Amino acid sequence: MISTREKIFNYAFLTLLAVSVLFPIVYILGVAISPSTSGTLDLAHPQWSNFATAWQQAGFARYLRSSVIITGTVVGVSTVLAVMSGYAFGVLGVVGEKALFPLMLLGIMIPMESIIVPLYYDFLAFDLTDGYQGIILAHIGTGVSFGAFWMRAAFRTMPAGIAESAELDGAGSWTRLWRIYLPISRPAILTFVVLSFMWTWNDYFLSLILVADPAHQPLTLGLGTFSGRHLVQVNLLAAAAVLMSLPIVGLYLFFQRQFIRGMLSGALKG
Amino acid sequence: MATVKQLPASGASAQAAPRTNAPSNHRRRRRWLGLAYLAPALAVYGFVVLVPAIQGVWLSFYHWNGITAASWAGLANYLGFLQDPALRQAIEHTVFFIVFFSVLPITLGLASAALTARKDVKGAAVYRWVIFLPQVLTPAVTAVMWKRVYAPDGPINSVLRALGLDSLAHGWLGDYDWALPALGIAGTWAAFGLCMVLFVAGTQAIPAELYDAARVDGAGPIREFRTVTLPGLRGQLAIAVTLTVLGAIRVFDIVWLTTRGGPGTSTITPTVVMYQRAFANPDVGAASAIGVVLALVSLLIALVVVRLSEDGNR
């Protein structure tokens, strides 16, 4: 039914889009292995040592450590909170749910930019702007709404019958959550973990404002500092950028479906 | 643990009674238990989101430099939206960004969805993987990338020089007229993958018979798009509009990391103004007012779009 001309046009269009997406990425990869510090592309003499040099000069190990600590804690705690609040809203029911659920949803719709100024002064008063605690707390707090919403939807799709019979057998709410609901909702939880990881790992805005001490700053801020200091060594800057993207792109390779599904169905995070 | 022990008795009665009107002791206890499960999340949410949101509204009515005592400002901080040149310019830029962050990505996404609708495009997964990739990259990295692409000796200018158009070659992000559209294109680049994947997934849910019927009726590609694809994508369209418009009015990372709002104020955005007001030479009240307006506009957009898309489904 579909003409060859239309088919060719399809491929041409999609290829054009894909090439324009890939162009800056491939270009920066090329710059990262070029020997020229001015950023001129020179693929004839690939200089792989740029990665090692950038790693050392940017103090990558330190920033990486911060990113891992922040992201690891945030993803862990957020997942537990998402499961618990989703279980509360989706299965147990909550006292005052008619008011509490919309209140929680508000957190998905209010952009975090709106609360950052008062949040900064609060954190300053509580002395939370220097270490990891503040930024971790901020990430968890801004992600909790989405988590509750996401896991509520996941738990709601499950047949009530299984859990009810377990309840009749005398299983408490914790046992039912642990033995019945968690195993079935593993795909939804995995998607949440992937999204939470990406949002935390990629964050620049919250960290810029809430982490004043360089010793506790994540990679995204480190790259900013590095690009400020190394305006002249463009190839090293490019190499640092490539190194920084590796974990998240690697994760994307493995969990492609979770990334895309999560972004599509729950993409309204503030 | 008391709940567990009493379960058999109350569970049996709940089973016997119709589920809907059985506000038994047991169910009520369950709802309190639910609150206990929710409590930790609610506490963090309250401390990080709710309390600051209220404080933001309160602060927006004061003049405060972050240190000394605050003084009542009334609506002065909100009038800044009308009087403050930087802020007014930022709002104009937001409108400009909506074209690049929302209109263009959605158009490209719709086009690609229409072209691939119901057809077996070989390698579709690969295209999708590639086009979605910018969503995954860190804004800090994206900024480094585009700064290089737009640099005076970057690839765009090399191409222009190779074509003999030397006069057109310049530092795009350092140019008063070109910096804004240049950032806009970077935004389109980052946003259209999500739109495309969203729409392509949406077309797959449209029944094939509708397409076949349209073809049998002799519809060309354009009428097919108008009568089958577009109505079928209503819900996805609502999500895409919400996300990308909100993205455009919130934009900070890419601007801050490439131009800092410059040259001059030629790429300044509301969030950049807010950041400067809050931290550079603190005028916390003015910054808070920007935050409040941002929140109100966001809520309004989300509500309007949700309402519109729901009306369409009924």
Side-chain angles (χ1 to χ4, degrees):
Chain A
M1 294 274 254
I2 294 136
S3 67
T4 324
R5 218 183 60 195
E6 216 178 316
K7 238 179 193 160
I8 292 173
F9 188 71
N10 272 352
Y11 283 110
F13 184 77
L14 285 177
T15 307
L16 183 73
L17 287 184
V19 167
S20 37
V21 164
L22 276 182
F23 171 73
I25 301 175
V26 172
Y27 188 82
I28 210 72
L29 278 170
V31 172
I33 55 167
S34 295
S36 154
T37 52
S38 68
T40 316
L41 209 56
D42 179 6
L43 297 179
H45 313 89
Q47 193 171 325
W48 298 98
S49 61
N50 281 350
F51 292 109
T53 316
W55 179 285
Q56 279 157 8
Q57 286 201 14
F60 231 81
R62 180 169 49 110
Y63 292 119
L64 182 67
R65 186 170 160 265
S66 297
S67 273
V68 168
I69 291 174
I70 294 170
T71 308
T73 316
V74 168
V75 171
V77 177
S78 293
T79 309
V80 171
L81 290 185
V83 166
M84 280 172 63
S85 46
Y87 185 55
F89 278 127
V91 178
L92 297 173
V94 177
V95 180
E97 187 169 338
K98 285 212 173 78
L100 283 180
F101 189 63
L103 198 68
M104 280 293 256
L105 276 193
L106 213 57
I108 301 183
M109 289 184 273
I110 298 179
M112 66 181 168
E113 288 82 353
S114 290
I115 53 157
I116 193 71
V117 176
L119 188 66
Y120 168 78
Y121 284 97
D122 285 347
F123 275 20
L124 204 62
F126 286 103
D127 206 17
L128 286 170
T129 50
D130 274 339
Y132 293 128
Q133 300 99 318
I135 184 68
I136 287 173
L137 194 62
H139 275 303
I140 295 172
T142 50
V144 118
S145 291
F146 174 76
F149 178 69
W150 181 258
M151 289 315 298
R152 170 184 178 264
F155 287 142
R156 281 201 142 187
T157 57
M158 285 172 204
I162 318 169
E164 265 168 19
S165 54
E167 196 173 352
L168 289 180
D169 288 342
S173 63
W174 184 254
T175 314
R176 271 175 285 145
L177 171 62
W178 199 246
R179 292 270 173 78
I180 298 169
Y181 284 97
L182 272 189
I184 317 182
S185 55
R186 203 175 291 156
I189 296 175
L190 183 62
T191 304
F192 178 77
V193 166
V194 163
L195 287 178
S196 174
F197 183 95
M198 178 176 77
W199 286 327
T200 315
W201 187 268
N202 283 354
D203 166 70
Y204 177 80
F205 186 72
L206 279 180
S207 314
L208 173 71
I209 292 168
L210 297 178
V211 197
D213 177 10
H216 294 95
Q217 288 174 341
L219 278 170
T220 45
L221 286 183
L223 189 69
T225 320
F226 188 65
S227 74
R229 273 191 291 127
H230 287 262
L231 282 172
V232 279
Q233 287 176 299
V234 183
N235 56 346
L236 292 188
L237 180 59
V242 171
L243 283 178
M244 226 186 100
S245 323
L246 284 182
I248 201 89
V249 173
L251 209 66
Y252 178 49
L253 266 169
F254 277 113
F255 294 111
Q256 196 208 137
R257 282 177 58 204
Q258 264 76 21
F259 267 93
I260 296 184
R261 188 200 310 155
M263 294 290 279
L264 292 188
S265 40
L268 282 167
K269 195 211 176 206
Chain B
M1 281 298 113
T3 15
V4 178
K5 280 184 195 138
Q6 294 186 9
L7 269 181
S10 53
S13 71
Q15 204 186 32
R19 276 186 71 109
T20 42
N21 52 7
S24 63
N25 232 348
H26 167 63
R27 292 199 72 185
R28 201 174 312 135
R29 204 176 301 130
R30 251 173 72 146
R31 285 158 60 83
W32 279 105
L33 197 63
L35 191 64
Y37 274 92
L38 181 65
L42 205 58
V44 183
Y45 176 62
F47 182 67
V48 175
V49 179
L50 286 183
V51 172
I54 296 164
Q55 285 171 319
V57 175
W58 182 76
L59 279 173
S60 70
F61 293 107
Y62 284 87
H63 292 301
W64 187 40
N65 61 9
I67 301 157
T68 55
S71 65
W72 178 254
L75 289 175
N77 292 323
Y78 289 95
L79 291 174
F81 277 87
L82 306 171
Q83 293 155 345
D84 186 329
L87 203 46
R88 253 171 46 197
Q89 211 183 352
I91 295 169
E92 285 167 28
H93 293 164
T94 299
V95 176
F96 197 84
F97 274 136
I98 287 176
V99 173
F100 282 101
F101 285 40
S102 184
V103 179
L104 276 178
I106 287 178
T107 311
L108 284 173
L110 278 177
S112 38
L115 288 175
T116 51
R118 312 306 311 167
K119 287 163 208 152
D120 267 336
V121 175
K122 294 210 182 68
V126 178
Y127 283 117
R128 224 184 279 186
W129 192 88
V130 167
I131 294 175
F132 195 76
L133 191 57
Q135 290 293 317
V136 179
L137 291 177
T138 315
V141 169
T142 311
V144 167
M145 231 164 58
W146 283 96
K147 253 167 114 168
R148 189 62 216 141
V149 169
Y150 285 131
D153 57 344
I156 294 184
N157 289 329
S158 311
V159 170
L160 286 175
R161 287 194 191 99
L163 293 172
L165 299 165
D166 298 51
S167 56
L168 287 179
H170 55 295
W172 299 88
L173 291 174
D175 186 287
Y176 277 84
D177 295 325
W178 283 102
L180 196 61
L183 284 182
I185 287 169
T188 308
W189 176 86
F192 89 86
L194 179 68
C195 294
M196 169 175 166
V197 171
L198 195 61
F199 295 144
V200 170
T203 52
Q204 281 165 357
I206 299 174
E209 299 87 67
L210 289 180
Y211 281 100
D212 296 340
R215 292 270 162 169
V216 169
D217 285 351
I222 293 176
R223 212 176 79 198
E224 182 187 271
F225 173 74
R226 222 162 28 86
T227 55
V228 182
T229 310
L230 201 54
L233 288 178
R234 213 185 163 106
Q236 281 79 12
L237 209 53
I239 297 176
V241 169
T242 316
L243 280 181
T244 51
V245 172
L246 292 186
I249 66 173
R250 291 168 56 185
V251 57
F252 178 85
D253 299 2
I254 181 92
V255 176
W256 188 252
L257 284 159
T258 48
T259 65
R260 308 248 144 157
T265 53
S266 57
T267 56
I268 205 152
T269 68
T271 41
V272 171
V273 180
M274 185 186 85
Y275 180 80
Q276 289 169 340
R277 295 288 144 85
F279 306 109
N281 185 9
D283 183 351
V284 181
S288 300
I290 298 175
V292 171
V293 172
L294 215 59
L296 290 179
V297 173
S298 304
L299 283 176
L300 197 70
I301 292 171
L303 289 177
V304 167
V305 174
V306 166
R307 179 61 56 83
L308 283 180
S309 64
E310 274 177 0
D311 281 352
N313 288 339
R314 246 176 257 136

